PDB file of all heavy atoms in Angstrom:
ATOM      1  N   LYS C 187     -26.518 -20.593 -39.586  1.00 92.00           N
ATOM      2  CA  LYS C 187     -27.349 -19.460 -39.048  1.00 92.00           C
ATOM      3  C   LYS C 187     -28.909 -19.683 -39.432  1.00 92.00           C
ATOM      4  O   LYS C 187     -29.750 -19.588 -38.701  1.00 92.00           O
ATOM      5  CB  LYS C 187     -26.811 -18.183 -39.670  1.00 92.00           C
ATOM      6  CG  LYS C 187     -27.634 -16.885 -39.216  1.00 92.00           C
ATOM      7  CD  LYS C 187     -26.828 -15.706 -39.751  1.00 92.00           C
ATOM      8  CE  LYS C 187     -27.576 -14.377 -39.294  1.00 92.00           C
ATOM      9  NZ  LYS C 187     -26.953 -13.218 -39.952  1.00 92.00           N
ATOM     10  N   ALA C 188     -28.971 -20.082 -40.741  1.00 93.00           N
ATOM     11  CA  ALA C 188     -30.350 -20.368 -41.321  1.00 93.00           C
ATOM     12  C   ALA C 188     -30.957 -21.467 -40.473  1.00 93.00           C
ATOM     13  O   ALA C 188     -32.165 -21.328 -40.013  1.00 93.00           O
ATOM     14  CB  ALA C 188     -30.281 -20.783 -42.748  1.00 93.00           C
ATOM     15  N   PHE C 189     -30.209 -22.447 -40.157  1.00 93.00           N
ATOM     16  CA  PHE C 189     -30.805 -23.637 -39.318  1.00 93.00           C
ATOM     17  C   PHE C 189     -31.289 -23.187 -37.995  1.00 93.00           C
ATOM     18  O   PHE C 189     -32.286 -23.507 -37.513  1.00 93.00           O
ATOM     19  CB  PHE C 189     -29.712 -24.716 -39.266  1.00 93.00           C
ATOM     20  CG  PHE C 189     -30.332 -26.006 -38.858  1.00 93.00           C
ATOM     21  CD1 PHE C 189     -30.895 -26.798 -39.934  1.00 93.00           C
ATOM     22  CD2 PHE C 189     -30.266 -26.430 -37.664  1.00 93.00           C
ATOM     23  CE1 PHE C 189     -31.438 -28.105 -39.598  1.00 93.00           C
ATOM     24  CE2 PHE C 189     -30.767 -27.724 -37.337  1.00 93.00           C
ATOM     25  CZ  PHE C 189     -31.355 -28.566 -38.283  1.00 93.00           C
ATOM     26  N   ILE C 190     -30.298 -22.381 -37.397  1.00 92.00           N
ATOM     27  CA  ILE C 190     -30.707 -22.016 -35.998  1.00 92.00           C
ATOM     28  C   ILE C 190     -31.820 -21.001 -35.859  1.00 92.00           C
ATOM     29  O   ILE C 190     -32.667 -21.219 -35.049  1.00 92.00           O
ATOM     30  CB  ILE C 190     -29.433 -21.386 -35.278  1.00 92.00           C
ATOM     31  CG1 ILE C 190     -28.330 -22.578 -35.099  1.00 92.00           C
ATOM     32  CG2 ILE C 190     -29.790 -20.774 -33.938  1.00 92.00           C
ATOM     33  CD1 ILE C 190     -26.967 -22.040 -34.719  1.00 92.00           C
ATOM     34  N   VAL C 191     -31.811 -20.059 -36.773  1.00 92.00           N
ATOM     35  CA  VAL C 191     -32.956 -19.083 -36.734  1.00 92.00           C
ATOM     36  C   VAL C 191     -34.268 -19.817 -37.060  1.00 92.00           C
ATOM     37  O   VAL C 191     -35.293 -19.575 -36.385  1.00 92.00           O
ATOM     38  CB  VAL C 191     -32.714 -18.043 -37.711  1.00 92.00           C
ATOM     39  CG1 VAL C 191     -33.884 -17.063 -37.787  1.00 92.00           C
ATOM     40  CG2 VAL C 191     -31.449 -17.147 -37.291  1.00 92.00           C
ATOM     41  N   ASN C 192     -34.155 -20.827 -37.997  1.00 93.00           N
ATOM     42  CA  ASN C 192     -35.413 -21.498 -38.273  1.00 93.00           C
ATOM     43  C   ASN C 192     -35.890 -22.328 -37.170  1.00 93.00           C
ATOM     44  O   ASN C 192     -37.084 -22.514 -36.977  1.00 93.00           O
ATOM     45  CB  ASN C 192     -35.173 -22.479 -39.468  1.00 93.00           C
ATOM     46  CG  ASN C 192     -35.598 -21.733 -40.745  1.00 93.00           C
ATOM     47  OD1 ASN C 192     -36.798 -21.509 -41.031  1.00 93.00           O
ATOM     48  ND2 ASN C 192     -34.641 -21.351 -41.561  1.00 93.00           N
ATOM     49  N   ARG C 193     -34.910 -22.735 -36.291  1.00 92.00           N
ATOM     50  CA  ARG C 193     -35.302 -23.623 -35.177  1.00 92.00           C
ATOM     51  C   ARG C 193     -36.279 -22.805 -34.291  1.00 92.00           C
ATOM     52  O   ARG C 193     -37.244 -23.397 -33.635  1.00 92.00           O
ATOM     53  CB  ARG C 193     -34.052 -23.851 -34.317  1.00 92.00           C
ATOM     54  CG  ARG C 193     -33.967 -25.238 -33.714  1.00 92.00           C
ATOM     55  CD  ARG C 193     -33.190 -26.210 -34.568  1.00 92.00           C
ATOM     56  NE  ARG C 193     -33.986 -26.646 -35.598  1.00 92.00           N
ATOM     57  CZ  ARG C 193     -34.977 -27.657 -35.593  1.00 92.00           C
ATOM     58  NH1 ARG C 193     -35.151 -28.232 -34.482  1.00 92.00           N
ATOM     59  NH2 ARG C 193     -35.557 -27.937 -36.646  1.00 92.00           N
ATOM     60  N   VAL C 194     -36.032 -21.438 -34.236  1.00 92.00           N
ATOM     61  CA  VAL C 194     -37.011 -20.596 -33.314  1.00 92.00           C
ATOM     62  C   VAL C 194     -38.375 -20.814 -33.838  1.00 92.00           C
ATOM     63  O   VAL C 194     -39.385 -20.947 -33.187  1.00 92.00           O
ATOM     64  CB  VAL C 194     -36.530 -19.223 -33.250  1.00 92.00           C
ATOM     65  CG1 VAL C 194     -37.469 -18.343 -32.449  1.00 92.00           C
ATOM     66  CG2 VAL C 194     -35.068 -19.136 -32.675  1.00 92.00           C
ATOM     67  N   GLY C 195     -38.386 -20.577 -35.189  1.00 93.00           N
ATOM     68  CA  GLY C 195     -39.803 -20.706 -35.772  1.00 93.00           C
ATOM     69  C   GLY C 195     -40.339 -22.031 -35.643  1.00 93.00           C
ATOM     70  O   GLY C 195     -41.603 -22.308 -35.318  1.00 93.00           O
ATOM     71  N   ASP C 196     -39.562 -23.112 -35.744  1.00 94.00           N
ATOM     72  CA  ASP C 196     -40.013 -24.495 -35.629  1.00 94.00           C
ATOM     73  C   ASP C 196     -40.638 -24.701 -34.300  1.00 94.00           C
ATOM     74  O   ASP C 196     -41.513 -25.502 -34.096  1.00 94.00           O
ATOM     75  CB  ASP C 196     -38.864 -25.439 -35.928  1.00 94.00           C
ATOM     76  CG  ASP C 196     -38.438 -25.335 -37.295  1.00 94.00           C
ATOM     77  OD1 ASP C 196     -39.136 -24.811 -38.232  1.00 94.00           O
ATOM     78  OD2 ASP C 196     -37.322 -25.889 -37.635  1.00 94.00           O
ATOM     79  N   MET C 197     -40.003 -24.167 -33.270  1.00 94.00           N
ATOM     80  CA  MET C 197     -40.535 -24.233 -31.962  1.00 94.00           C
ATOM     81  C   MET C 197     -41.980 -23.730 -31.911  1.00 94.00           C
ATOM     82  O   MET C 197     -42.829 -24.355 -31.291  1.00 94.00           O
ATOM     83  CB  MET C 197     -39.804 -23.433 -30.940  1.00 94.00           C
ATOM     84  CG  MET C 197     -38.463 -24.065 -30.511  1.00 94.00           C
ATOM     85  SD  MET C 197     -38.730 -25.710 -29.864  1.00 94.00           S
ATOM     86  CE  MET C 197     -39.658 -25.280 -28.407  1.00 94.00           C
ATOM     87  N   GLY C 198     -42.146 -22.656 -32.602  1.00 94.00           N
ATOM     88  CA  GLY C 198     -43.510 -22.033 -32.701  1.00 94.00           C
ATOM     89  C   GLY C 198     -44.539 -23.007 -33.320  1.00 94.00           C
ATOM     90  O   GLY C 198     -45.572 -23.284 -32.763  1.00 94.00           O
ATOM     91  N   LEU C 199     -44.053 -23.681 -34.386  1.00 95.00           N
ATOM     92  CA  LEU C 199     -44.967 -24.648 -35.057  1.00 95.00           C
ATOM     93  C   LEU C 199     -45.254 -25.793 -34.141  1.00 95.00           C
ATOM     94  O   LEU C 199     -46.430 -26.255 -33.990  1.00 95.00           O
ATOM     95  CB  LEU C 199     -44.340 -25.100 -36.361  1.00 95.00           C
ATOM     96  CG  LEU C 199     -45.209 -26.021 -37.116  1.00 95.00           C
ATOM     97  CD1 LEU C 199     -46.639 -25.379 -37.498  1.00 95.00           C
ATOM     98  CD2 LEU C 199     -44.520 -26.443 -38.576  1.00 95.00           C
ATOM     99  N   SER C 200     -44.252 -26.306 -33.448  1.00 95.00           N
ATOM    100  CA  SER C 200     -44.521 -27.469 -32.534  1.00 95.00           C
ATOM    101  C   SER C 200     -45.439 -27.050 -31.471  1.00 95.00           C
ATOM    102  O   SER C 200     -46.292 -27.783 -31.130  1.00 95.00           O
ATOM    103  CB  SER C 200     -43.178 -28.139 -32.173  1.00 95.00           C
ATOM    104  OG  SER C 200     -42.421 -27.266 -31.394  1.00 95.00           O
TER     105      SER C 200
END
Side-chain angles (χ1 to χ4, degrees):
Chain C
K187 183 173 179 185
F189 198 80
I190 291 170
V191 175
N192 267 291
R193 216 96 285 276
V194 180
D196 296 346
M197 283 305 296
L199 185 54
S200 57

